Amino acid sequence: MKNILKTSALLLLTTVALGSCREEKTIEETANEMIENGDKVEVKDDKVKIENEDGSEAKIKYDENGEIEKVKTDDN
């Protein structure tokens, strides 16, 4: 019984450690990827509207410094 608990604890610890070490993209990287992969990209002043052929839509709004202020997608 102790052997099963030790093995389970070790497996859980390994899973948590590997899961927390993965790289996550910044919002700028994600926005640039969306713009590059978009089918129809419209640029207006401080906004970018991206439409994909599957019907999904995303909007990226920039502040006066040119940094991303807000990203709005169909799922949020």
Side-chain angles (χ1 to χ4, degrees):
M1 186 69 175
K2 283 186 179 182
N3 195 14
I4 293 172
L5 288 175
K6 286 181 184 179
T7 305
S8 298
L10 183 60
L11 182 63
L12 178 65
L13 210 77
T14 304
T15 304
V16 170
L18 292 176
S20 64
C21 292
R22 64 180 177 200
E23 272 186 50
E24 292 191 22
K25 295 179 184 176
T26 63
I27 193 164
E28 288 84 11
E29 291 173 334
T30 304
N32 288 335
E33 245 181 54
M34 291 168 65
I35 291 171
E36 289 174 9
N37 297 331
D39 292 325
K40 184 177 177 187
V41 179
E42 295 177 25
V43 179
K44 295 181 183 177
D45 298 327
D46 60 344
K47 298 177 187 173
V48 176
K49 183 178 177 182
I50 305 161
E51 293 180 22
N52 293 315
E53 63 183 39
D54 64 352
S56 63
E57 194 174 280
K59 296 177 185 176
I60 303 170
K61 184 175 181 182
Y62 294 90
D63 63 7
E64 60 274 351
N65 297 327
E67 296 182 18
I68 296 174
E69 181 179 323
K70 185 175 168 182
V71 176
K72 183 177 179 183
T73 59
D74 288 343
D75 34 305
N76 66 357

